[in-house]
Amino acid sequence: MLDLIELRRDLHRHPELGFTEFRTASKVVGLLRQFGYEVIYGQDAMEPSSVRGLPEKEVLEAAYERALRDGADPAIAAHMKGGYTAVVGTLRGVQEGPTVAFRFDMDALPITESTETRHVPQAEGFRSLYEGHMHACAHDGHTTIGLGLAERLSDRQFAGTVKLIFQPAEEGVRGAYAMVHKGMLDDVDTLFCQHLGCDVPLGEIHGSSAGFLASTKLEARFRGVASHAGSSPEKGNNALLGAATALLNIQSLPRFSTGETRINVGVLEGGTAANIIPETARMIIETRSVDEQTNEELERRVRNIIAHSAGMHELEHKIRVIGGAIPIVCSPELAEMTAEEAQQVEGFVNQKAMGQTSSLGSEDASYMIRRVQELGGKGTYMIIGCDLPAPHHHPEFDIQEEVLPRSVELLERLARRTLR
């Protein structure tokens, strides 16, 4: 039987960023096969033409080699080269019936984990081995819960099909889109997505959540002409200046009466030396809104600013979408079911069908939920309470590991109730 604490700590020690989860995904494939699941992964689980925000080739190759050094199964990992780290495990019950799916994200964050003695992973010896990367959003816990659920359902004593979806690159809202476009959700009747923490205390469960924002992540690249900044500045076209012009105007976009919005330029880089007119520059921008149409309009205006800023400085420019999400509308039947089943699980002392509004973040599980609903199914995004010593995406983030077995039990109950 899986030791959930040991598994979670192993994953915590080996955090892998989006689309580089070679070791994690390899472990997932191996355990799913051990439990009798039919497993597809790599490009069989993702549409290559729909992948958003893949890291640079050299980053992928370095992460792949590191994963092999740290125990990834070479035969499995070889089919994930290039960043295709999605995994889907399917198990058919003893009788025919509907298909219920559960989604779990696997990726970590580019954050340096705390070395403070009060930080439990540091004190207990399972702090990240990869400096500059850490699990600071509970995805190590989510993956552990998914594998615990896989083991619990391996008896096949249900009517229908269980589908366990292990998604790469949730951070930056990148990984779900390509899985949806590959058709991984097209046979799903019921979809449960879940997250630990999110300002919900230990012992509380929310069967659904609201407030997730539509979002678009854009990368803009500018190209000008390099020149000597002292002797011939007029012969150069300053790509960094064009990007800076775009930044100031993007951050000055007005608010909208149609819905709350967010906008941020998170990266601006370019240039090589003080005496060279910068030939290239790069920006990463995100737009967000509670309303999908408002977000689309915000994105249109950002693209317009980038194009005109480039034109002002006689630059070439390219824009590509590197991530995105849409609002989530949960199916109330599943929210009620979750609250009812949580009452039967020891440790859940407060159950709510409809949870609080989220902290205005974004989630690309939204694409999965919408696809299931478009095809006549139901989906929800639940929050499983867990007291946190520090906020999500913080160097001292950690979870209470006692939440892991009760989460597995809850999801097992939901699966078996759906597949009676």
Side-chain angles (χ1 to χ4, degrees):
M1 186 172 180
L2 280 180
D3 183 326
L4 298 180
I5 305 303
E6 181 182 339
L7 175 59
R8 181 257 164 167
R9 292 187 175 193
D10 176 75
L11 296 174
H12 191 90
R13 286 189 195 96
H14 301 89
E16 297 172 296
L17 304 185
F19 297 125
T20 73
E21 307 95 331
F22 301 110
R23 183 184 185 276
T24 303
S26 171
K27 182 179 286 286
V28 169
V29 171
L31 285 170
L32 289 177
R33 285 176 172 169
Q34 180 181 319
F35 300 144
Y37 285 71
E38 175 187 338
V39 185
I40 61 173
Y41 58 98
Q43 293 192 34
D44 292 334
M46 303 168 65
E47 176 54 52
S49 63
S50 298
V51 175
R52 293 170 158 177
L54 269 179
E56 298 294 334
K57 183 178 179 180
E58 57 270 21
V59 173
L60 292 169
E61 290 178 349
Y64 179 78
E65 293 300 326
R66 183 187 63 192
L68 295 181
R69 290 194 301 270
D70 286 350
D73 185 316
I76 295 173
H79 293 282
M80 301 176 182
K81 291 195 76 170
Y84 301 103
T85 48
V87 181
V88 178
T90 302
L91 189 67
R92 290 169 178 78
V94 294
Q95 298 178 23
E96 294 295 319
T99 297
V100 60
F102 295 84
R103 174 269 201 173
F104 309 96
D105 40 19
M106 302 183 290
D107 58 320
L109 285 153
I111 294 173
T112 299
E113 186 161 11
S114 173
T115 57
E116 295 288 339
T117 54
R118 63 176 175 266
H119 182 54
V120 173
Q122 169 71 16
E124 297 291 329
F126 63 97
R127 180 184 179 272
S128 170
L129 296 176
Y130 305 153
E131 205 64 22
H133 300 167
M134 75 169 287
H135 274 293
C137 200
H139 296 189
D140 51 342
H142 301 166
T143 302
T144 299
I145 291 166
L147 291 169
L149 176 64
E151 183 181 38
R152 294 285 286 269
L153 295 173
S154 62
D155 61 8
R156 301 178 60 247
Q157 295 303 306
F158 49 83
T161 300
V162 170
K163 201 167 192 178
L164 304 182
I165 298 170
F166 292 85
Q167 180 203 313
E170 186 281 325
E171 302 296 350
V173 286
R174 296 174 289 160
Y177 191 77
M179 299 188 77
V180 171
H181 280 255
K182 191 66 173 182
M184 293 295 99
L185 283 298
D186 288 0
D187 61 346
V188 173
D189 300 296
T190 304
L191 173 64
F192 292 97
C193 305
Q194 54 284 315
H195 205 298
L196 297 174
C198 300
D199 300 320
V200 177
L202 185 70
E204 187 167 311
I205 175 78
H206 295 179
S208 66
S209 54
F212 287 108
L213 300 180
S215 180
T216 306
K217 319 297 184 188
L218 300 170
E219 179 192 63
R221 290 184 180 268
F222 300 80
R223 179 169 292 277
V225 177
S227 184
H228 194 288
S231 63
S232 55
E234 77 285 358
K235 294 182 180 179
N237 294 334
N238 192 321
L240 188 56
L241 185 56
T245 301
L247 183 152
L248 292 173
N249 283 277
I250 287 169
Q251 294 287 175
S252 300
L253 280 168
R255 304 306 93 194
F256 282 69
S257 63
T258 52
E260 190 167 3
T261 59
R262 298 283 191 276
I263 194 158
N264 187 53
V265 177
V267 174
L268 174 62
E269 57 189 19
T272 56
N275 63 345
I276 301 173
I277 301 295
E279 182 181 11
T280 61
R282 173 176 172 264
M283 296 175 64
I284 294 180
I285 313 107
E286 69 168 18
T287 64
R288 299 186 198 243
S289 177
V290 294
D291 176 78
E292 194 172 350
Q293 289 68 42
T294 301
N295 183 66
E296 289 173 356
E297 172 60 17
L298 196 58
E299 179 189 342
R300 186 193 69 80
R301 295 190 184 199
V302 168
R303 288 175 176 272
N304 196 35
I305 287 171
I306 291 170
H308 284 82
S309 297
M312 286 172 60
H313 297 277
E314 299 184 2
L315 307 172
E316 298 176 2
H317 78 283
K318 291 182 179 179
I319 303 172
R320 69 181 181 117
V321 176
I322 59 171
I326 53 181
I328 294 176
V329 179
C330 295
S331 301
E333 305 95 323
L334 299 189
E336 293 287 349
M337 182 193 301
T338 299
E340 290 169 6
E341 291 303 319
Q343 293 175 17
Q344 309 304 315
V345 178
E346 184 177 354
F348 287 124
V349 296
N350 189 6
Q351 307 87 25
K352 299 180 181 180
M354 303 302 292
Q356 64 187 25
T357 298
S358 79
S359 57
L360 297 182
S362 301
E363 236 301 352
D364 64 346
S366 53
Y367 289 118
M368 295 185 177
I369 292 172
R370 176 174 290 186
R371 182 58 177 166
V372 170
Q373 292 171 335
E374 286 174 343
L375 297 176
K378 299 179 177 66
T380 194
Y381 193 98
M382 68 183 77
I383 305 297
I384 301 174
C386 180
D387 296 333
L388 306 175
H392 291 268
H393 296 207
H394 186 282
E396 292 188 28
F397 179 88
D398 190 27
I399 62 172
Q400 293 167 291
E401 293 172 325
E402 63 198 270
V403 78
L404 300 175
R406 73 179 62 164
S407 300
V408 171
E409 182 179 350
L410 172 62
L411 298 192
E412 181 190 6
R413 294 188 66 90
L414 290 171
R416 295 192 189 277
R417 175 168 168 175
T418 306
L419 301 177
R420 282 175 182 165

